Amino acid sequence: EDQVTQSPEALRLQEGESSSLNCSYTVSGLRGLFWYRQDPGKGPEFLFTLYSAGEEKEKERLKATLTKKESFLHITAPKPEDSATYLCAVRGGSGGSNYKLTFGKGTLLTVNP
Amino acid sequence: GAGVSQSPSNKVTEKGKDVELRCDPISGHTALYWYRQSLGQGLEFLIYFQGNSAPDKSGLPSDRFSAERTGGSVSTLTIQRTQQEDSAVYLCASSLMGGTGHEQYFGPGTRLTVT
C-alpha cells in the first residue's frame, strides 16, 4: 500500500526566512510525486510533478526535489502570501491503478510579516 | 479557461437524508476523480471515471455511496442515508487522461455537514 508522510505538520516562518518541507513516501513503482498548495476553503492547486530521483523543478520562490525515498519543497525568502497548506501526493503503478493519488496530511505553513 | 466547478459549495443535511453533489470537469478532460477530505486527514480517493470504461469504485467507503458520470462530462456523487461520519469536504478533480503524465486539477469542493 502506498504511503506518504509529511513533516512538519505545521511551520511558522518570518518573512524572508527560508526553509524546507519534507515528504517521505513508500510506493510500488513511482509514477509521479506531486506537490499541491491548498488555501483555506479552496481545492488543491497543482504546483509540481516529479518523476525520477534527482529531478528538480522551480516556480518563483519554490523548488521541489526528489530522491528515492523523499521529496523536499524548498521555500526561499517566503512572503506572507506563501501561507497555505502544502500537500504531497504519489501515484504508484501497482495493480494497474496508475491514476490514484495517495496524499499526505499536509504541512500548514504560516509566514509572518 | 474554466476550471473544475462543483456545486453546492456547502450542504447541511440531517442524518438519514440523501444528498447529491455535482462536478463539472474541465472541458476536454476525459478522466474524473472524487476524493474526500476529512478534518485532520489526507485526501482519500473515492472513485475514478475514464471515458467509457467501467469506473474504479474501490475507494467508496460503503454501499451508501454511488457516483455516475453522464455523457462523459458531468458527474454526480450520491450519498444515501447520510451519517455524521460522512461530514467532510468532497473534492472533484479532472485530468486530460488517466494515468502517468497527466496532472489532476481540483475543484473548490463541497463542504458537507451532517447534523
Side-chain angles (χ1 to χ4, degrees):
Chain A
E1 183 179 329
D2 301 342
Q3 291 189 329
V4 177
T5 303
Q6 292 188 245
S7 61
E9 291 184 9
L11 180 63
R12 284 186 175 273
L13 300 174
Q14 288 298 122
E15 184 172 2
E17 180 187 1
S18 300
S19 188
S20 297
L21 312 183
N22 177 264
C23 171
S24 298
Y25 65 90
T26 306
V27 66
S28 177
L30 183 68
R31 295 290 185 269
L33 183 139
F34 303 82
W35 283 99
Y36 286 85
R37 169 190 171 129
Q38 187 173 27
D39 292 298
K42 297 190 176 181
E45 174 190 347
F46 171 74
L47 293 175
F48 304 109
T49 311
L50 302 168
Y51 289 102
S52 57
E55 189 175 359
E56 298 183 353
K57 288 193 176 173
E58 290 188 62
K59 179 180 179 179
E60 296 182 354
R61 295 176 292 281
L62 301 177
K63 182 167 83 171
T65 62
L66 181 65
T67 74
K68 290 186 177 180
K69 294 182 179 180
E70 56 192 349
S71 176
F72 292 94
L73 185 65
H74 307 277
I75 304 176
T76 302
K79 298 182 178 182
E81 53 262 41
D82 295 322
S83 297
T85 296
Y86 290 85
L87 302 174
C88 174
V90 296
R91 179 161 58 198
S94 63
S97 58
N98 62 341
Y99 44 79
K100 293 181 190 180
L101 295 184
T102 299
F103 281 84
K105 294 182 180 181
T107 293
L108 175 61
L109 175 67
T110 304
V111 182
N112 296 314
Chain B
V4 177
S5 61
Q6 293 186 244
S7 60
S9 55
N10 283 283
K11 177 72 176 179
V12 180
T13 190
E14 292 180 352
K15 178 181 172 182
K17 300 281 190 182
D18 297 352
V19 295
E20 286 189 352
L21 313 180
R22 176 188 168 103
C23 172
D24 276 279
I26 294 171
S27 178
H29 281 195
T30 63
L32 187 147
Y33 316 77
W34 283 96
Y35 291 85
R36 177 168 71 174
Q37 188 172 33
S38 303
L39 197 62
Q41 302 297 314
L43 274 75
E44 171 192 16
F45 168 81
L46 297 178
I47 189 168
Y48 162 73
F49 295 91
Q50 170 59 58
N52 294 322
S53 302
D56 177 354
K57 304 179 181 180
S58 61
L60 294 179
S62 78
D63 59 8
R64 295 186 295 105
F65 288 71
S66 63
E68 63 177 20
R69 189 178 184 193
T70 54
S73 181
V74 172
S75 177
T76 303
L77 177 69
T78 301
I79 309 174
Q80 296 179 310
R81 304 180 303 281
T82 51
Q83 304 295 311
Q84 288 187 330
E85 60 262 30
D86 300 334
S87 296
V89 176
Y90 290 82
L91 291 159
C92 176
S94 70
S95 62
L96 191 60
M97 295 182 69
T100 303
H102 300 287
E103 290 81 19
Q104 297 179 22
Y105 294 89
F106 284 81
T110 293
R111 180 174 296 278
L112 176 66
T113 304
V114 182
T115 60

